[in-house]
Amino acid sequence: MRLRIGIDTGGTFTDVVALDEDTGALATTKTPATPADPAAGFAAGLAKVLDLLGAAPGDVAALAHGTTVATNRLLEDRLDGLGLVTTEGFEAILEIARQSVPDGYGNSYFWVKPPRIVPAHRVRAVGGRLDHTGAEVRPFDEAGAAVVARWFREQGVDAIGVCFLHSYANPAHELAMREVLRREHPAAVVSLSCEVLREYREYERTVTTLVDAAVKPVVSRYLAAVAERAPAPLLVMASNGGVVPAAEAVRRPVGTVLSGPAAGALGAAFVAARAGHRAVVTLDGGGTSTDVAVVRGGEPGLTTEGAVGRHPVRVPMVDIVTVGAGGGSVAAPAPGGGVKVGPRSAGADPGPLCYGRGGTEVTVTDAHAVLGRIPPHLLGGEVPLDVAVARAGVAELAAGLGLTPERAAAGVLEISAWNQANAIRQITVRRGLDVRDHPLVAFGGSGPLLACRLLDVLGLGTALVPPDPGNLSAFGLLTVDVRDDHVRTCVDRDPAAVEAVFAELEEQASAALARAGFGPAERRFARSADLRYAGQAFEVRVPADAGDVAARFHDAHEALYGYCDRAAPVEWVNLRVTGIGPIARPEPRGHPPGDGDSSRARTGTRRVHFDDWTDAALYRRESLAPGDEVEGPAVIEEYGSTLPLHPGFRARVDPHGNLVVTRA
């Protein structure tokens, strides 16, 4: 065998997909996540899929991995022991930050500024100064730098971000600071802004550098542990929609802060494009959260204006909105009455009540179990559910609300559906897109569970549920290229100066691709640039590979803001180069057409509560063939997920094996 394996480690399960490159056969499986030691979950998933195929570690030709280690570190705000070195006189950069507040002042009257990523007493300044061109105004104070380094060592601050003024134009002072830290504090993990984000705007550059420093120790340890267990060179999913060698991920771990969610969006885009849909909304429902993204032109959007938790991170990342509405989201009485669902999650341990592992709070999964919308076991019987315990918990919650258990459980699911719908509106309606123009691709273990309700809430016509939806993020890892991003601020109008910087960035990207094993003929490069009219404060990004880039900017400016001035001078601001190492896309085996008779897949009936209790037909998904149709009320079950088909809805199997859900 020649196996390509994708392993996506989530908050509740580790998802695994193996592709036989010779036959196109796919094998999928899941194992429970191991939050205390995520690398153990990786090893367990790898061993399980190899055993399933009767394969040996030597059969693995390539291995790609998506991880939430960096994401969870930031979301949980476990950033103790982090320090900042900055330019003398700029110690308050984190406190000053930006004047903007979320959603504007009218909607944020009670907004409170969150704590700084580094408290004031762990910020130290070093003398020396560069101007905006990179010319030295005052020399680097090496003696003062040594004092700062020794202070961090004495205080036990071992993760340090270095961000000096205008170091995007000249990295000399930051490189000198690193040498001092190596000499005086060799145990420190150091991130330099000139290597993390060589781009202007001090606050965002500083925070991004500190985020890199904060996650570098845990990502380095984790990837080292995973690499020891990997039987083939390890590629890691990056936030930018590509994979990078593990060594590159360790060098700049801030690039992996959306590793897992990015793989899901790319896998959904791949599956939707094969089915003829190049503009869709993706909904990745997991155990802890739900991630939504918009795909247009067959690719999810990218942004450098993203954030993880409260931390702005200015690195290229798939444009994703995350909401705490997963299967493990906790439903608890709200202070003002009613019920609040999420963002707090029961996670994998102890998990929902029905897992029988000591959970004490009702979750979304418990509500589904009580209403009969999921089977009394998960993963083909590997995870039996204690529905009686879930029912007792829901009954207790219902008693406090004066409702029946069924009404309380249905209310929990309704709140969860609206949380997901609001996330979808945030990434579509708020950005001027008509959500009704986009089919919904629902995947993840819990993604299809509320698909029918989301069609009603959002007024959508179609939902697409891919084969093995619970493992689509792991499959997405096998569909992406190696990508390496480089950026440089170069405020200029001179084409020759711009071309010189582009050439330098391409050299850096080419060197990274060479380290990843790509020969000169295989390497591809994509240019883009942030441009603005002279005097503007913000930029518009446009492709810059060929043609009239200024005309492209005018068109983009008019599309965004309703006007342009084609006679005005245009400034180049940030120049970007993405190095691409192409990887062959998987071609899974086709699905032979059926005869339209879905009864062969029917396994029985179960009492299920939709608007009321009803006898719903049960179907095994793997027994359905293209052309088969199922009418609701019904429940379509498979190894990693379940689709409850509400009354008035129909599911049809398309030629690629997707379930196409529409109103009957």
Side-chain angles (χ1 to χ4, degrees), residues 13 352-357 365-366 368-370 373-379 381-390 642:
F13 288 102
L353 290 170
C354 59
Y355 280 16
R357 297 177 185 164
T365 296
D366 294 313
H368 281 296
V370 167
R373 298 189 189 181
I374 57 176
H377 51 76
L378 301 179
L379 305 188
E382 295 178 24
V383 182
L385 302 183
D386 193 332
V387 180
V389 171
T642 302

Side-chain angles (χ1 to χ4, degrees), residues 19-247:
L19 172 72
D20 188 327
E21 291 187 321
D22 297 325
T23 67
L26 280 172
T28 63
T29 190
K30 284 175 172 277
T31 61
T34 52
D37 181 10
F42 173 95
L46 177 61
K48 187 175 180 181
V49 79
L50 291 177
D51 184 63
L52 187 67
L53 293 168
D59 295 324
V60 180
L63 207 159
H65 182 38
T67 173
T68 57
V69 167
T71 314
N72 293 342
R73 185 81 172 180
L74 297 174
L75 293 177
E76 295 166 12
D77 265 341
R78 292 185 288 124
L79 305 177
D80 296 336
L82 184 62
L84 169 64
V85 182
T86 189
T87 300
E88 191 174 53
F90 287 80
E91 296 89 337
I93 181 68
L94 296 175
E95 189 59 41
I96 295 170
R98 295 292 182 200
Q99 69 176 23
S100 59
V101 300
D103 300 321
Y105 286 97
N107 297 324
S108 304
Y109 185 77
F110 296 103
W111 179 75
V112 177
K113 193 173 185 177
R116 305 152 43 116
I117 186 172
V118 174
H121 70 277
R122 290 208 298 269
V123 176
R124 286 293 181 270
V126 172
R129 183 69 178 269
L130 305 171
D131 68 15
H132 70 284
T133 68
E136 188 173 82
V137 177
R138 290 196 299 273
F140 175 69
D141 182 2
E142 185 165 344
V147 171
V148 166
R150 288 193 289 269
W151 184 89
F152 281 126
R153 185 189 65 205
E154 293 162 2
Q155 298 298 314
V157 177
D158 295 331
I160 301 169
V162 180
C163 187
F164 290 149
L165 196 66
H166 301 309
S167 57
Y168 58 83
N170 181 354
H173 286 188
E174 287 191 356
L175 295 173
M177 185 69 216
R178 178 163 60 189
E179 291 306 311
V180 172
L181 285 165
R182 282 175 175 168
R183 184 177 70 241
E184 302 290 344
H185 189 4
V189 173
V190 180
S191 292
L192 307 183
S193 77
C194 64
E195 295 178 345
V196 173
L197 182 68
R198 201 160 171 183
E199 186 177 324
Y200 83 152
R201 293 202 168 99
E202 295 304 305
Y203 174 66
E204 288 80 5
R205 183 159 58 91
T206 300
V207 174
T208 303
T209 303
L210 289 168
V211 165
D212 187 79
V215 301
K216 189 173 284 186
V218 66
V219 169
S220 299
R221 288 193 299 269
Y222 172 71
L223 290 181
V226 166
E228 287 180 3
R229 296 166 163 88
L234 183 67
L235 295 173
V236 179
M237 186 72 209
S239 307
N240 65 359
V243 288
V244 295

Side-chain angles (χ1 to χ4, degrees), residues 506-530:
E506 285 190 0
E507 286 181 10
Q508 295 172 7
S510 182
L513 292 176
R515 291 193 296 270
F518 291 92
E522 299 174 284
R523 303 169 202 164
R524 295 192 287 109
F525 305 96
R527 293 180 176 186
S528 62
D530 302 340

Side-chain angles (χ1 to χ4, degrees), residues 443-634:
F443 61 99
S446 67
L449 290 171
L450 295 171
C452 290
R453 185 63 186 130
L454 287 171
L455 292 186
D456 278 338
V457 170
L458 295 168
L460 304 178
T462 304
L464 202 72
V465 181
D468 293 311
N471 291 74
L472 189 64
S473 291
F475 175 76
L477 293 165
L478 306 179
T479 69
V480 298
D481 298 322
V482 172
R483 296 175 67 94
D484 186 71
D485 292 305
H486 297 268
V487 61
R488 178 84 56 81
T489 292
C490 174
V491 182
D492 212 315
R493 304 182 201 174
D494 178 10
V498 168
E499 180 58 34
V501 174
F502 268 133
E504 186 178 340
L505 294 176
E506 285 190 0
E507 286 181 10
Q508 295 172 7
S510 182
L513 292 176
R515 291 193 296 270
F518 291 92
E522 299 174 284
R523 303 169 202 164
R524 295 192 287 109
F525 305 96
R527 293 180 176 186
S528 62
D530 302 340
L531 279 69
R532 67 187 180 191
Y533 292 120
Q536 284 185 322
F538 291 92
E539 305 84 40
V540 175
R541 185 165 308 153
V542 295
D545 291 302
D548 191 338
V549 180
R552 203 172 294 147
F553 163 74
H554 293 307
D555 294 340
H557 196 282
E558 186 169 26
L560 281 170
Y561 303 115
Y563 75 96
C564 67
D565 184 355
R566 298 182 185 273
V570 175
E571 280 185 337
W572 300 71
V573 180
N574 298 314
L575 310 184
R576 304 176 186 274
V577 168
T578 299
I580 302 169
I583 292 178
R585 300 289 192 271
E587 288 294 337
R589 290 185 298 189
H591 297 263
D595 55 10
D597 180 12
S598 62
S599 63
R600 84 178 82 80
R602 186 164 176 173
T603 60
T605 60
R606 184 170 65 236
R607 295 287 286 174
V608 179
H609 191 283
F610 290 110
D611 296 325
D612 203 347
W613 288 105
T614 186
D615 290 323
L618 305 180
Y619 293 85
R620 290 303 304 166
R621 179 165 183 182
E622 56 265 32
S623 299
L624 293 170
D628 290 353
E629 289 190 356
V630 175
E631 298 276 351

Side-chain angles (χ1 to χ4, degrees), residues 7-22:
I7 301 180
D8 180 55
T9 303
T12 307
F13 288 102
T14 296
D15 306 331
V16 189
V17 170
L19 172 72
D20 188 327
E21 291 187 321
D22 297 325

